[in-house]
């Protein structure tokens, strides 16, 4: 029986997926969402036992929403597919959800090497987390990409952002519904291959722009 479905948004991750999928815990089903890859991402994912979902519309949120729609397990986790997060740590994030102690648990990233998380990305994340603490009184220090919640609860949030604002939108809507939101430490490793988002200054600025747009909308709604 599948205890947890793990959504892995993937864009040209053929090099990282063998390691990522090989470390998926028992009872955890990988759903690899191929977000318009030009490499062998889908073929490699299928060869390593993952469920493969195609989402040709580019966008992190679009891929996450497609994976959520394909999920069937009571608990759904989200995890980057680039090797920066170790799936062996997923039970640490998911078990409190399954036990009903927490409604949304975020993996607070702890770097294993100095270059795993570039300074510009770390700074942007810290600024956004501070905004959440100030506006919504959430005791968060990181908008961690490894996270988990119950599937039926996630579907009630009405998540819509199809770009990089998706992780922030999830936290904001959960907070507005009174969810118990907590953090727990997870390892953050150097990613495999070239970063498409926070590893570049341009990607970081694009992510911050999308998240600020979501945050501004939350201010209007609260």
């Amino acid at each position: 029986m599948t205890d947890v479905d793990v959504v892995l948004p993937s864009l040209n991750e053929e090099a990282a997926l063998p390691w990522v999928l090989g470390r998926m815990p028992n009872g955890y089903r990988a759903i690899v969402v191929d977000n318009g890859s030009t490499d062998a991402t889908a073929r490699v994912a299928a060869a390593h036992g993952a469920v493969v979902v195609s989402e040709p519309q580019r966008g992190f949120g679009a891929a996450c929403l497609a994976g959520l729609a394909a999920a069937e397990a009571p608990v759904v986790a989200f995890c980057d597919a680039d090797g920066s997060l170790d799936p062996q740590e997923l039970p640490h994030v998911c078990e409190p959800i399954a036990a009903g102690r927490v409604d949304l648990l975020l993996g607070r990233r702890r770097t294993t090497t100095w270059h795993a998380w570039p300074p510009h990305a770390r700074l942007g994340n810290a600024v956004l987390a501070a905004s959440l603490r100030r506006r919504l009184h959430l005791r968060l220090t990181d908008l961690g990409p490894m996270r988990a919640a119950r599937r039926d609860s996630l579907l009630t949030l009405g998540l819509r952002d199809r770009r990089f604002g998706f992780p922030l939108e999830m936290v904001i809507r959960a907070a507005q519904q009174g969810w118990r939101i907590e953090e727990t430490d997870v390892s953050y490793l150097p990613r495999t291959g070239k970063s498409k988002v926070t590893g570049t200054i341009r990607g970081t600025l694009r992510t911050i722009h999308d998240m600020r747009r979501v945050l501004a909308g939350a201010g209007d709604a609260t």
Side-chain angles (χ1 to χ4, degrees):
M1 184 179 76
T2 300
D3 300 314
V4 178
D5 277 334
V6 184
V7 177
L8 296 149
S10 302
L11 175 61
N12 297 331
E13 301 292 2
E14 65 175 1
L17 282 173
W19 182 85
V20 172
L21 297 175
R23 294 184 64 79
M24 202 63 58
N26 291 333
Y28 286 62
R29 182 178 71 154
I31 300 176
V32 172
V33 183
D34 182 8
N35 197 206
S37 298
T38 57
D39 67 0
T41 286
R43 179 174 57 79
V44 171
H48 286 79
V51 174
V52 180
V53 174
S54 177
E55 175 48 76
Q57 179 182 341
R58 289 284 181 89
F60 182 79
C64 289
L65 287 169
L68 177 58
E72 299 175 352
V75 175
V76 175
F78 297 85
C79 181
D80 286 350
D82 59 8
S84 61
L85 298 167
D86 187 352
Q88 285 288 307
E89 297 190 35
L90 280 166
H92 186 51
V93 175
C94 296
E95 286 171 0
I97 302 296
R101 298 193 300 270
V102 185
D103 299 312
L104 175 62
L105 192 58
L106 307 180
R108 178 175 48 223
R109 289 169 283 187
R110 292 291 182 255
T111 56
T112 57
T113 61
W114 68 270
H115 61 281
W117 198 359
H120 56 269
R122 191 191 298 259
L123 176 61
N125 180 78
V127 170
L128 289 166
S131 295
L132 284 178
R133 292 195 298 271
R134 184 177 67 254
R135 296 190 184 196
L136 296 174
H137 310 292
L138 293 175
R139 299 176 63 182
L140 298 178
T141 59
D142 186 14
L143 294 172
M146 182 183 282
R147 54 181 62 193
R150 294 194 65 84
R151 174 181 172 275
D152 54 359
S153 298
L154 283 168
L155 293 175
T156 68
L157 293 181
L159 299 171
R160 296 191 299 270
D161 194 278
R162 303 182 73 81
R163 294 176 48 166
F164 295 118
F166 178 86
L168 180 59
E169 181 190 27
M170 181 187 295
V171 173
I172 290 173
R173 289 185 179 270
Q176 291 171 340
Q177 290 194 15
W179 287 24
R180 295 165 297 173
I181 304 173
E182 296 184 7
E183 292 180 318
T184 189
D185 287 350
V186 298
S187 303
Y188 199 49
L189 314 168
R191 63 182 52 83
T192 299
K194 183 179 179 181
S195 173
K196 294 169 283 293
V197 187
T198 56
T200 66
I201 293 177
R202 180 180 179 183
T204 297
L205 292 174
R206 188 168 68 243
T207 300
I208 291 173
H209 176 270
D210 285 351
M211 289 192 173
R212 281 182 171 171
R213 170 177 46 80
V214 170
L215 194 60
D220 295 337
T222 54

